[in-house]
């Protein structure tokens, strides 16, 4: 009986195998190269729609987007426009949080010329470098990215040979290679901070993805194009000591019927927050980001 | 544009502890976009004792884009067959290296039925392509060629037949592990060890298969001493 079954199975295999073989061949035609090429073609189409970092637009352009959309959102945009007067969009390529953060920070330094802040963050960048080294990262994997960020930071400070204008900052932020290097710098910083304080981050990561801290950093922080979540924002804000305000534009409404816009301030856990805020007074973030489910843009307060 | 300064550093770092890791990376031509990597087969696997050659091509966007890696250790597959006559013949080709019963013509007609590389569910038996997330969307500039090769080595230890690159091999892995392991082991011993052979041993082996010595020598020379490439060339006439 068993033998018979065996034979039957063999016979089935015999008749099935050739078909499978061609199926496999067909699949084999979809080489990884082809798939990756297609992905980059999709990205290219996306790239034509919006630059990595867009122009500053009045907040009314946001309202225009939802013209025939949810009334709650339109109400909320109205509330938003009481506090903010402009928005700068970033490309939705999975790096939008880090890119928004990059531009917003460098633009702030360019406009404020706050050397004290530059010195402060430079110190923190050095600490991040040490963190990565102590975690066992080879220097050559991250040094280029660190160097490029520090170079950008240096160049937005005026008064030296390498100083750049706002237009130049815009251009560099839209230059894929410079922009991506800085994004990758932030990813290194974020990953290093999460790994260094893995006990603190572990419960959040477990809640988010049910993976280990190590695995999370490898699969959701370090690869380009992986979207950012609270965990990333908390880590990068803590590591660099830069407070970040995220304003949420979604359909949620409060019980009372009135419409309000929620925001969350990420205040660095480490106490060396930007200068001028000593004495434990509430730090007001100078980085304002607009979050719509799945995407971050930059907001400009009035 | 490939970041060559970084690649240079990577090669130095990797080859520095070659004695510990067994992993090496060398340039294949004058520029650094085409590299040859080798990984030792992990212990306690059917790949133990073998040295596997990985062909590495760096795309323009490296290190933002992943390196392209393929198994380049070529071996010949026998068809785990449904045709009785063929089955006997093909199984025998496994021993062809030591028992030269078949003429080169017969060997070729058999061998060319299936040219594969390393037998593994996540490695394509047609192209040597590797199914590994870090070589695709999970790649990060935080990784290096060496860490990628280490991951490939880890994949040899822990195949993922549920996410196969080669459906046929994956099926055999799941349904008939014994046969899979025996085949993979045999191939490792027969083919992945040969890279360490001296020229004379390679010549002798190919002559034993029935190819004329002069032709074997000139063919081996023309492919830079790669025995498997020589066999492929000899078979294709």
């Amino acid at each position: 009986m068993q033998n018979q079954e065996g034979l039957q199975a063999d016979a089935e295999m015999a008749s099935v195998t050739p078909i499978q073989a061609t199926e496999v061949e067909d699949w084999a035609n979809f080489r990884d190269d082809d798939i990756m090429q297609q992905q980059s073609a999709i990205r290219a189409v996306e790239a034509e729609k919006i630059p990595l970092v867009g122009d500053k637009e009045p907040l009314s352009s946001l309202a225009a987007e939802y013209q025939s959309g949810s009334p709650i959102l339109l109400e909320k945009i109205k509330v938003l426009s009481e506090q903010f007067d402009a928005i700068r969009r970033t490309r939705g390529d999975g790096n939008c949080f880090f890119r928004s953060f990059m531009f917003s920070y460098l633009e702030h330094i360019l406009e404020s010329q706050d050397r004290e802040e530059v010195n402060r963050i430079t110190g923190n960048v050095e600490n991040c470098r040490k963190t990565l080294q102590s975690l066992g990262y080879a220097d050559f994997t991250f040094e280029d990215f660190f160097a490029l960020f520090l170079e950008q930071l240096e160049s937005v400070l005026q008064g030296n040979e390498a100083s750049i204008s706002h237009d130049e900052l815009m251009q560099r932020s839209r230059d894929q290679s410079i922009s991506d290097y800085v994004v990758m710098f932030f990813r290194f910083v974020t990953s290093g901070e999460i790994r260094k304080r893995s006990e603190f981050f572990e419960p959040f990561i477990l809640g988010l993805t049910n993976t280990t801290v190590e695995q999370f950093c490898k699969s959701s922080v370090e690869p380009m194009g992986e979207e950012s979540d609270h965990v990333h924002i908390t880590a990068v804000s803590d590591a660099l000591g830069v407070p970040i305000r995220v304003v949420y534009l979604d359909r949620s409404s409060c019980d009372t019927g009135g419409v309000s816009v929620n925001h969350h301030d990420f205040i660095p856990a480490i106490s060396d927050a930007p200068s001028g805020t000593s004495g434990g007074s509430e730090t007001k973030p100078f980085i304002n980001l607009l979050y719509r489910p799945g995407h971050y843009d930059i907001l400009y307060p009035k | 544009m490939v970041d060559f300064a970084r690649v240079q550093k990577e090669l130095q770092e990797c080859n520095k502890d070659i004695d510990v890791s067994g992993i090496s990376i060398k340039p294949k031509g004058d520029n650094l976009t085409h590299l040859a990597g080798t990984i030792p087969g992990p212990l306690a696997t059917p790949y133990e004792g073998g040295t596997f050659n990985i062909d590495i091509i760096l795309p323009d966007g490296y290190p933002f884009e992943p390196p392209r890696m393929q198994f380049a250790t070529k071996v010949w597959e026998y068809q785990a067959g449904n045709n009785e006559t063929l089955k006997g013949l093909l199984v025998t080709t496994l021993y062809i290296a030591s028992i030269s019963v078949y003429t080169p013509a017969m060997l070729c007609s058999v061998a060319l039925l299936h040219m594969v590389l390393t037998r593994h569910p996540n490695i394509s038996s047609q192209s040597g392509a590797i199914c590994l997330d870090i070589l695709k969307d999970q790649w990060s500039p935080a990784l290096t060629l060496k860490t990628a090769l280490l991951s490939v080595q880890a994949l040899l230890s822990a195949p993922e037949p549920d996410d196969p690159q080669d459906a046929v091999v994956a099926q055999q892995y799941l349904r008939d592990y014994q046969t899979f392991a025996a085949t993979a082991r045999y191939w490792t011993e027969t083919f992945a060890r040969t890279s360490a052979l001296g020229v004379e041993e390679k010549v002798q082996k190919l002559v034993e298969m029935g190819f004329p010595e002069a032709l074997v020598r000139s063919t081996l020379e023309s492919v830079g001493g790669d025995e498997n490439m020589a066999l492929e060339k000899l078979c294709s006439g």
Side-chain angles (χ1 to χ4, degrees), chain B residues 63-211:
Chain B
F64 279 97
E65 278 174 56
R68 298 193 195 118
M69 293 192 172
Q70 294 199 334
F71 270 79
T73 299
K74 296 193 171 176
V75 297
W76 309 99
E77 185 185 16
Y78 79 100
Q79 194 152 14
N82 33 51
N83 178 321
E84 277 308 312
T85 332
L86 210 54
K87 191 174 177 179
L89 182 65
L90 290 168
V91 169
T92 321
T93 64
L94 286 174
Y95 302 97
I96 211 88
S98 48
I99 313 162
S100 66
V101 184
Y102 297 97
T103 64
M106 281 175 77
L107 173 62
C108 288
S109 69
V110 167
L112 288 177
L113 276 175
H114 256 83
M115 190 193 79
V116 298
L117 308 121
T118 305
R119 189 144 182 109
H120 187 286
N122 306 107
I123 298 165
S124 162
S125 53
Q126 306 217 339
S127 63
I130 305 163
C131 180
L132 189 60
D133 55 0
I134 62 145
L135 294 179
K136 296 172 198 163
D137 57 333
Q138 292 284 282
W139 168 258
S140 159
L143 300 169
T144 64
L145 295 172
K146 185 186 168 188
T147 50
L149 287 174
L150 282 168
S151 297
V152 172
Q153 191 186 32
L155 187 68
L156 289 178
S157 298
E160 290 177 22
D162 294 329
D163 182 19
Q165 178 81 27
D166 192 305
V168 176
V169 176
Q171 215 167 50
Q172 186 189 48
Y173 180 92
L174 291 169
R175 288 190 185 167
D176 185 3
Y177 181 79
Q178 292 303 319
T179 308
F180 162 81
T183 313
R185 188 172 301 117
Y186 186 83
W187 287 0
T188 302
E189 282 165 10
T190 313
F191 301 101
R193 276 190 172 166
T194 53
S195 53
L197 290 182
V199 179
E200 285 311 310
E201 283 167 290
K202 289 178 187 169
V203 170
Q204 192 189 352
K205 215 173 145 191
L206 289 166
V207 169
E208 274 173 7
M209 286 181 178
F211 298 104

Side-chain angles (χ1 to χ4, degrees), chain A residues 109-128:
Chain A
I109 299 299
L110 183 77
E111 284 169 359
S112 69
Q113 292 298 305
D114 185 345
R115 282 172 195 270
E116 218 173 308
E117 166 63 14
V118 171
N119 290 339
R120 196 194 56 77
I121 200 171
T122 306
N124 284 347
V125 170
E126 277 317 303
N127 290 337
C128 294

Side-chain angles (χ1 to χ4, degrees), chain A residues 32 140 143-144 219 222, chain B residues 3 9-10 13 136 138 140:
Chain A
D32 289 345
F140 68 82
E143 63 192 4
D144 295 350
S219 62
E222 291 177 3
Chain B
D3 181 350
K9 282 181 208 155
E10 285 204 38
E13 287 284 321
K136 296 172 198 163
Q138 292 284 282
S140 159

Side-chain angles (χ1 to χ4, degrees), chain B residues 1-18:
Chain B
M1 187 65 189
V2 180
D3 181 350
F4 288 116
R6 167 172 164 144
V7 178
Q8 198 79 54
K9 282 181 208 155
E10 285 204 38
L11 297 198
Q12 275 168 14
E13 287 284 321
C14 178
N15 295 330
K16 215 160 58 184
D17 64 345
I18 191 168

Side-chain angles (χ1 to χ4, degrees), chain A residues 169-181:
Chain A
L169 174 63
M170 200 68 246
Q171 242 170 49
R172 289 190 184 184
S173 304
R174 285 175 180 171
D175 176 326
Q176 182 99 43
S177 72
I178 297 177
S179 206
D180 278 357
Y181 264 76

Side-chain angles (χ1 to χ4, degrees), chain A residues 70 72-73 76 248-253 261-262 291-293:
Chain A
S70 149
I72 298 178
L73 288 178
K76 284 193 176 184
Y248 297 88
L249 181 59
D250 53 29
R251 281 164 207 255
S252 66
S253 55
V261 180
N262 300 321
Y291 177 76
R292 286 177 283 168

Side-chain angles (χ1 to χ4, degrees), chain A residues 7-8 25 53 67 78 97 102 118 121 124 158 222 225 240 242 286 297-298:
Chain A
L7 279 175
Q8 212 177 344
E25 270 166 30
V53 178
Q67 208 63 101
K78 219 178 264 173
F97 164 72
M102 164 190 82
V118 171
I121 200 171
N124 284 347
Q158 300 305 300
E222 291 177 3
L240 297 175
V242 177
F286 53 80
D297 292 306
I298 303 166

